[in-house]
Amino acid sequence: MSVDSTTTESESETIRRILTATGDTWAIVGLSTNRSRAAYGVAEVLQRFGKRVVPVHPKAETVHGEQGYASLADVPFPVDVVDVFVNSELAGPVADEAVAIGAKAVWFQLGVIDEAACARTREAGLDMVMDRCPAIEIPRLG
């Protein structure tokens, strides 16, 4: 087995674990009422699959019927997964905040890449997925 297929298999296992076993409360960082943004549609798909979506955006808007919060630190209940819809340059601090609030996993969306943040997050004991979309992955689980 090549190194690449081992890595892919491992990532595949992490994706499955996050989507099926990690927990159902997902903080979506960057989620607002803007329907043209990817976060809006992804949150809708996650809800359809039984996840509770928690909007985290400076505007703290209610989205998809869920109260929004200005930051992860403002969320007054435990968060299982932090799904990150911010530019790669801003993603590292969000991952660090996810560790600080006790999240179990961090998910960087398609195009969100920060290798150092990924390594820090995994070293802290969290599951981490980068440059993938849960709305694409969850229907594949069957």
Side-chain angles (χ1 to χ4, degrees):
M1 189 179 284
S2 74
V3 172
D4 288 343
S5 62
T6 303
T7 302
T8 303
E9 184 176 277
S10 172
E11 182 177 50
S12 190
E13 290 168 9
T14 301
I15 288 168
R16 177 173 290 281
R17 184 171 49 253
I18 292 171
L19 291 172
T20 64
T22 298
D24 291 332
T25 302
W26 286 56
I28 315 288
V29 179
L31 175 58
S32 71
T33 57
N34 185 342
R35 293 172 179 263
S36 67
R37 304 290 300 186
Y40 191 89
V42 169
E44 206 166 40
V45 170
L46 288 170
Q47 273 189 326
R48 224 173 26 246
F49 280 89
K51 307 299 182 191
R52 178 183 185 187
V53 298
V54 180
V56 178
H57 188 281
K59 293 180 183 176
E61 299 170 307
T62 296
V63 185
H64 298 306
E66 291 284 348
Q67 168 65 49
Y69 299 91
S71 72
L72 286 172
D74 292 338
V75 179
F77 47 81
V79 168
D80 299 309
V81 182
V82 175
D83 190 1
V84 182
F85 278 93
V86 299
N87 294 331
S88 295
E89 303 80 47
L90 305 173
V94 174
D96 296 338
E97 194 175 355
V99 171
I101 66 160
K104 299 173 189 164
V106 175
W107 191 299
F108 281 5
Q109 281 297 139
L110 291 172
V112 180
I113 299 168
D114 183 332
E115 296 289 349
C118 183
R120 282 195 313 274
T121 302
R122 287 181 176 150
E123 286 168 16
L126 282 69
D127 277 333
M128 175 79 199
V129 174
M130 185 167 56
D131 195 25
R132 301 294 285 265
C133 179
I136 292 169
E137 302 298 335
I138 202 165
R140 294 179 179 170
L141 297 177

